[in-house]
Amino acid sequence: VRENGRQFSHAGIWVVMAFAAQKDFLKAWDLLPFLSPIHHSKTPGDVRKYRVEPYAIASDIYAAPPHTGRGGWTWYTGSAGWMYTLILESLLGVRLSGNILTFKPCIPMTWRSYQIDYRYRSTPYHIVVKNSRPPWSGDTGSSVRSIVVDGIDQADKNIHLVDDLEVHQVVVDLGE
């Protein structure tokens, strides 16, 4: 059952990351619920079948009877770390390099906005990502039109993080 390339959590998360890297947001977001522990515990029947914590990543989910649907090896931090990376970087598109935060999201066309509270050392950044592209555009949600930090347009469309203990307001506008 374990680490056979079909069931181990790392491989499943990496598959979703690959679809996001290809900007196939439909497939990436369709697969995410299969990996998310909360989706395995929606009903009392699901809880009885899953039998592990709905807030911890299970290393594997059994596919063979009599344990079909049961989670195992929870609190597997490697999988939790990869899930965090998948959601923050691959799907929401937030990437840190040194003190520069960039955005390359892979979100559904129907999303109009989302918010991220990001802390750089001791400094909070409240980030609102607005999706200005029309839902019928076919754009994969990866184009950044503008980034405004504390009312100042960022010509390079990046956030240059500073640890000044001030609260910073950021608006990221997506679109062509």
Side-chain angles (χ1 to χ4, degrees):
V1 173
R2 300 211 12 97
E3 302 186 46
N4 62 10
R6 292 180 295 142
Q7 194 163 325
F8 198 57
S9 297
H10 290 78
I13 292 169
W14 293 337
V15 166
V16 179
M17 292 172 96
F19 281 112
Q22 293 176 341
K23 298 300 176 195
D24 188 344
F25 68 89
L26 289 173
K27 183 63 86 176
W29 285 94
D30 283 348
L31 291 174
L32 184 64
F34 291 104
L35 301 171
S36 175
I38 196 66
H39 289 281
H40 294 287
S41 304
K42 285 185 173 181
T43 68
D46 291 342
V47 171
R48 284 190 296 279
K49 179 170 52 171
Y50 192 50
R51 298 182 69 170
V52 295
E53 307 92 329
Y55 47 80
I57 298 290
S59 181
D60 40 50
I61 300 169
Y62 302 97
H67 304 296
T68 305
R70 180 184 291 184
W73 287 72
T74 58
W75 294 98
Y76 196 71
T77 57
S79 294
W82 280 113
M83 179 69 94
Y84 178 82
T85 301
L86 164 66
I87 293 169
L88 186 64
E89 293 184 5
S90 298
L91 298 176
L92 299 180
V94 179
R95 293 182 186 259
L96 176 66
S97 180
N99 68 333
I100 296 175
L101 206 59
T102 61
F103 288 83
K104 293 185 180 176
C106 182
I107 60 167
M109 290 183 291
T110 56
W111 279 28
R112 300 323 309 151
S113 67
Y114 59 95
Q115 294 179 203
I116 300 168
D117 287 327
Y118 190 88
R119 181 171 298 277
Y120 177 68
R121 298 183 181 158
S122 298
T123 301
Y125 285 79
H126 298 295
I127 303 167
V128 175
V129 180
K130 295 182 178 180
N131 184 3
S132 297
R133 66 202 165 114
W136 60 87
S137 70
D139 182 14
T140 58
S142 61
S143 303
V144 174
R145 180 185 297 175
S146 67
I147 294 181
V148 176
V149 178
D150 298 327
I152 300 170
D153 186 58
Q154 306 299 298
D156 64 355
K157 300 178 185 175
N158 294 316
I159 300 173
H160 298 269
L161 301 167
V162 292
D163 188 22
D164 60 4
L165 303 176
E166 299 290 325
V167 177
H168 295 279
Q169 303 297 327
V170 179
V171 177
V172 177
D173 190 21
L174 303 179
E176 294 300 324

